[in-house]
Amino acid sequence: MTERTLVQAVNRGLFEAMQADPDVVLLGEDIGVNGGVFRATEGLAQQFGTDRVVDTPLSETGIVGTAIGMALYGLKPVAEIQFLDFIYPAFDQIVSELAKFRYRSGGQYPCHVVIRTPYGGGIKGGLYHSQSSEAYFAHTPGLKVIVPSTPADAKGLLLTAIQDEDPVLFLEPKRIYRSVTGEVPDGDHRVPFGVARLVREGTDASVFAYGAMIPPTVDAAETLAGEGISVEVIDLRSLVPLDEAAVVASVEKTGRAVVVHEAPRTCGFGAEISALLAERAFYSLKAPIARVTGFDTPFPYALENVYLPDAARIAHAIRSTVRSG
Amino acid sequence: MRATDPELLQTSSVISSARVRPERDLVSTAAPSPRTSPGAAADPFPPARLPEAYRTMLLARATDERCLSLQRQGRIGFYVPLSGQEAAQVGSAAALEPVDWVFPAYRELAVALVRGVPLVAILDQLFANSRDRTKGRQMPNHFGFRDQNFVVASSPIGTQITQAVGAAMAAQRRKDPIVTLAYFGDGATSSNDFHAGMNFAGVYRTPTIFFCQNNGWAISLPRDRQTMSPTLAEKASAYGFRGVVVDGNDLDAVYGAVREARARAIAGDGPTFIEAQVYRFGAHSTSDDPKRYRPEALVEAAKRRDPVRLLRDRLVAAGLLDDARDAQWWEASRAEVAKAVESAEGVAPVDPMSFLDDVFATPTYRLQAERDALEQLVRDGVVKP
């Protein structure tokens, strides 16, 4: 075990994956000598050479398109998109190509690319360095969508992603890159996809969150514990594949559900969780499902603290849910 | 200025062993006068393989004829004809080696044939039957054959270009002496991935051949409305590598250009852009009606240099073919197509549940649940596959 920040755990995961397998190559903007704008690839170019840590021209469709070609040929490319907000030039390659290669070739051409990208707000990044657009990708058949919230999971899920057989979008909560520290297992530590993490057990309400929304959700749960409300917090961490059994079982136990994400509300991932619970846990529900989300606006620069769900807003929603039934 | 500025044209040489084509102005009013590259005749199409090349072109042409009619009869859902592009496809594909990787668009049927894909395997895909290697997942002509390093096509334009560059980067990393070749049309030169792919290929000097079949039309848009560049090939110079224009109806010119590009790529001299100027004789696809935007006279004029007839004349002149044998070969091609159609049409359709396979290596919980639910609906008679 070694104490690491979340971004250090990502770096360590990349280091170990590259050391273990010469087919693992990294590509992206400013990831080589500069070590990435968030330093996630710090030291890797020096360690493994610039032909394995490839600084690319400034083109996201170029990064993902060439990563696809590498994967078809047999390498294990890990592409970095500098900010999730800049992924859209590669949307066609991700949605039309990467996600569909195995399918459209009848299984002849698996296409295993990992795309790592920092997402989310809270760093004064404005409209174009703050978005949380995981729902677009979770809506695309053929893509796995993973969001760690702890250093141990960042490494463990990343190593699983790199050894997976399918394309993975790996969303890194940049707001807590350095603010969250934790023990990270050394060596080949892998966390399976499709298994939610029970952060905190509780009996009165279940709160489902992921990524950078975990710390304020835990804060809210602690506040409410002082008020006699017992909150169960579940870190989804794997949106696709989703641990549906854990989501349903928790609500069958508590009878109340709150979903938290920083993405806009309409068609956000919370809508999927809400629908799942309406379909499969309806008779266990004692109160309407609540969503605590970002707003249906572009991401505001000066007022991001108003836009983003925080512990107070999350606690308020849980409290209202518990009181309503 | 643009058609005649010598500086603009300097970086792209024009290879043609044929005369200046009189109908080139139909393709582009801004087309430059071709210059014959000194190296053009250095590596002509191997004479011994000319009859085989001709027969492949006949087979492709006969497939076009038959499939257009199958589509009209409702026996296949769609078809993308390639008539007019046979020499460009056969010449380029024949210049590659089996270890090379082809990233096709959706019009490269003759390329697949040259790569050794059996015609019946293509027909299986057109009929989307249970023998289709792609399991009925895509519209006709979007086939792929891993065994022949013929990557599965998609419909978005230009996306295969960056992928071909990425595969070449991977080959570089593995030190494999191979090239990747991306096929695309004139329209694709306006796409995002054309720019990104050309740019990456230049930066990393990848062993990639960009083979553009400029057939004059991107559905309804003529070549000179696609870009103000006098040629497409000269775009390569902005990316720091070589671009050449070839007469795409000239088997020798096409073959020689690709052989040379391949040799350069293998030697570490980086990518080459080849613009093969051809003409799309037919519709863009069976869903298109070119009479809406293209006078038939243009097609008739272009057909004066039909690549199939040009090769026929050449074989006749060389004493390798006469009218009787030509008729025999045509007959044999049509019979081969008929046999493949009969075989493919006789194969059972894809399994109704198979569309749920291959989304992931292992189905997710959700996909398994969806399959279970669908199976129940079938058992209950609600869904009738």
Side-chain angles (χ1 to χ4, degrees):
Chain A
M1 287 283 197
T2 308
E3 179 96 349
R4 298 183 197 279
T5 64
L6 200 150
V7 72
Q8 284 167 345
V10 168
N11 182 270
R12 186 66 197 174
L14 293 171
F15 175 85
E16 289 180 14
M18 295 185 79
Q19 205 169 38
D21 187 344
D23 282 340
V24 176
V25 296
L26 313 187
L27 68 165
E29 294 159 10
D30 308 299
I31 67 165
V33 64
N34 192 44
V37 297
F38 289 100
R39 309 289 175 252
T41 54
E42 178 108 64
L44 298 177
Q46 291 79 357
Q47 181 74 28
F48 297 104
T50 50
D51 66 327
R52 286 186 71 191
V53 183
V54 182
D55 270 324
T56 66
L58 207 165
S59 168
E60 287 74 19
T61 192
I63 293 168
V64 177
T66 54
I68 289 171
M70 291 177 182
L72 295 175
Y73 199 80
L75 298 186
K76 292 175 181 164
V78 182
E80 177 177 305
I81 298 296
Q82 201 160 74
F83 287 82
L84 177 58
D85 313 66
F86 302 141
I87 206 166
Y88 307 115
F91 201 68
D92 194 20
Q93 283 290 349
I94 295 170
V95 173
S96 305
E97 300 287 327
L98 180 59
K100 294 176 173 56
F101 245 108
R102 178 189 293 279
Y103 191 78
R104 79 174 196 232
S105 66
Q108 295 180 89
Y109 287 100
C111 193
H112 171 226
V113 173
V114 177
I115 301 173
R116 295 179 36 248
T117 183
Y119 87 95
I123 61 150
K124 284 282 175 193
L127 291 88
Y128 303 115
H129 300 79
S130 307
Q131 292 170 44
S132 186
S133 55
E134 61 277 7
Y136 295 142
F137 301 98
H139 189 65
T140 300
L143 280 184
K144 294 182 179 175
V145 182
I146 303 299
V147 197
S149 73
T150 69
D153 276 0
K155 179 185 165 185
L157 290 166
L158 183 58
L159 288 184
T160 300
I162 293 171
Q163 294 308 326
D164 201 84
E165 296 175 86
D166 288 301
V168 179
L169 182 68
F170 194 82
L171 300 172
E172 299 172 3
K174 60 179 176 284
R175 182 188 192 180
I176 55 171
Y177 257 157
R178 290 181 177 75
S179 63
V180 167
T181 307
E183 291 291 322
V184 178
D186 298 317
D188 190 11
H189 160 68
R190 292 191 209 179
V191 175
F193 290 172
V195 181
R197 183 173 70 95
L198 179 62
V199 181
R200 182 187 173 102
E201 267 193 276
T203 53
D204 295 328
S206 303
V207 185
F208 304 101
Y210 48 91
M213 287 294 101
I214 294 296
T217 301
V218 170
D219 288 350
E222 272 165 22
T223 302
L224 293 172
E227 299 172 20
I229 297 173
S230 167
V231 177
E232 181 146 299
V233 178
I234 291 187
D235 177 0
L236 296 175
R237 70 180 173 180
S238 171
L239 305 186
V240 182
L242 179 67
D243 190 349
E244 297 184 21
V247 172
V248 171
S250 179
V251 173
E252 282 173 348
K253 180 177 78 174
T254 64
R256 297 179 188 89
V258 176
V259 195
V260 182
H261 58 65
E262 58 188 282
R265 171 169 297 228
T266 300
C267 296
F269 200 73
E272 181 59 35
I273 298 293
S274 305
L276 171 69
L277 290 170
E279 286 171 345
R280 293 190 45 202
F282 183 79
Y283 296 108
S284 302
L285 286 170
K286 299 171 190 163
I289 299 164
R291 286 185 284 170
V292 185
T293 69
F295 292 82
D296 286 338
T297 66
F299 193 97
Y301 171 69
L303 296 170
E304 67 175 6
N305 60 326
V306 181
Y307 176 94
L308 285 168
D310 61 7
R313 192 139 69 90
I314 297 165
H316 178 72
I318 299 170
R319 212 180 275 123
S320 305
T321 302
V322 170
R323 283 178 190 158
S324 73
Chain B
M1 160 265 172
R2 62 195 173 103
T4 50
D5 184 342
E7 282 193 17
L8 270 178
L9 302 177
Q10 208 163 35
T11 48
S12 61
S13 52
V14 176
I15 298 176
S16 173
S17 60
R19 298 90 34 225
V20 176
R21 297 181 303 143
E23 72 277 27
R24 62 180 306 122
D25 285 346
L26 302 178
V27 179
S28 166
T29 52
S33 301
R35 293 188 283 122
T36 300
S37 157
D43 214 353
F45 197 93
R49 290 172 66 188
L50 283 173
E52 171 202 333
Y54 181 62
R55 298 198 68 169
T56 304
M57 286 162 65
L58 292 187
L59 188 60
R61 184 66 63 91
T63 304
D64 257 18
E65 287 175 359
R66 186 66 199 275
C67 288
L68 291 171
S69 125
L70 288 174
Q71 193 277 337
R72 280 188 219 106
Q73 294 162 6
R75 288 158 72 187
I76 60 174
F78 180 74
Y79 186 73
V80 182
L82 71 131
S83 290
Q85 302 182 205
E86 291 90 345
Q89 293 194 12
V90 171
S92 57
L96 298 177
E97 301 295 333
V99 289
D100 296 333
W101 279 48
V102 167
F103 286 77
Y106 41 64
R107 206 181 293 279
E108 277 63 65
L109 187 141
V111 174
L113 293 176
V114 175
R115 298 289 293 174
V117 175
L119 179 65
V120 70
I122 292 172
L123 266 299
D124 286 338
Q125 197 273 338
L126 300 182
F127 279 98
N129 66 26
S130 56
R131 211 166 49 192
D132 170 15
R133 291 290 283 113
T134 56
K135 304 186 187 175
R137 302 270 165 70
Q138 293 212 78
M139 290 171 80
N141 296 84
H142 295 62
F143 37 73
F145 301 96
R146 178 139 210 156
D147 291 346
Q148 284 80 21
N149 285 337
F150 187 96
V151 176
V152 65
S154 70
S155 302
I157 296 300
T159 45
Q160 75 278 19
I161 299 174
T162 45
Q163 295 162 10
V165 175
M169 291 168 76
Q172 271 178 324
R173 162 140 187 77
R174 294 232 170 125
K175 301 190 171 25
D176 292 342
I178 67 128
V179 303
T180 66
L181 185 149
Y183 284 99
F184 52 93
D186 39 310
T189 62
S190 297
S191 73
N192 298 339
D193 281 276
F194 172 77
H195 165 62
M198 294 281 280
N199 192 40
F200 276 53
V203 168
Y204 302 117
R205 289 175 74 81
T206 60
T208 311
I209 300 169
F210 299 87
F211 193 85
C212 177
Q213 293 173 81
N214 169 8
N215 69 12
W217 299 91
I219 304 189
S220 68
L221 200 73
R223 152 62 188 88
D224 58 6
R225 295 279 305 281
Q226 197 67 243
T227 171
M228 289 290 277
S229 295
T231 69
L232 301 175
E234 69 195 71
K235 290 171 181 277
S237 67
Y239 299 99
F241 57 90
R242 194 162 165 267
V244 295
V245 179
V246 298
D247 174 353
N249 293 324
D250 181 336
L251 206 57
D252 285 338
V254 173
Y255 180 87
V258 176
R259 279 312 282 179
E260 190 186 357
R262 188 180 188 281
R264 290 167 62 97
I266 296 289
D269 293 334
T272 302
F273 180 104
I274 298 168
E275 174 188 352
Q277 295 185 340
V278 292
Y279 202 83
R280 197 191 78 206
F281 291 169
H284 164 72
S285 74
T286 49
S287 304
D288 173 43
D289 174 13
K291 288 196 287 291
R292 295 173 65 87
Y293 54 81
R294 184 173 78 172
E296 197 54 27
L298 290 179
V299 182
E300 291 314 312
K303 281 184 175 170
R304 289 201 295 270
R305 290 195 72 249
D306 178 341
V308 176
R309 219 200 58 224
L310 286 180
L311 185 54
R312 176 196 179 278
D313 293 349
R314 186 173 164 187
L315 290 170
V316 169
L320 294 166
L321 189 66
D322 57 28
D323 285 350
R325 175 170 278 201
D326 191 31
Q328 206 177 56
W329 282 0
W330 265 110
E331 197 48 47
S333 299
R334 290 187 176 117
E336 189 178 340
V337 174
K339 198 175 148 206
V341 168
E342 192 186 0
S343 169
E345 205 167 22
V347 172
V350 283
D351 179 89
M353 291 294 162
S354 69
F355 79 95
L356 289 158
D357 297 334
D358 300 316
V359 179
F360 296 108
T362 310
T364 56
Y365 173 84
R366 173 64 64 97
L367 274 164
Q368 188 56 51
E370 290 176 4
R371 179 188 298 271
D372 294 344
L374 178 58
E375 283 173 353
Q376 187 60 49
L377 289 172
V378 172
R379 278 194 297 275
D380 293 348
V382 178
V383 172
K384 295 179 181 66

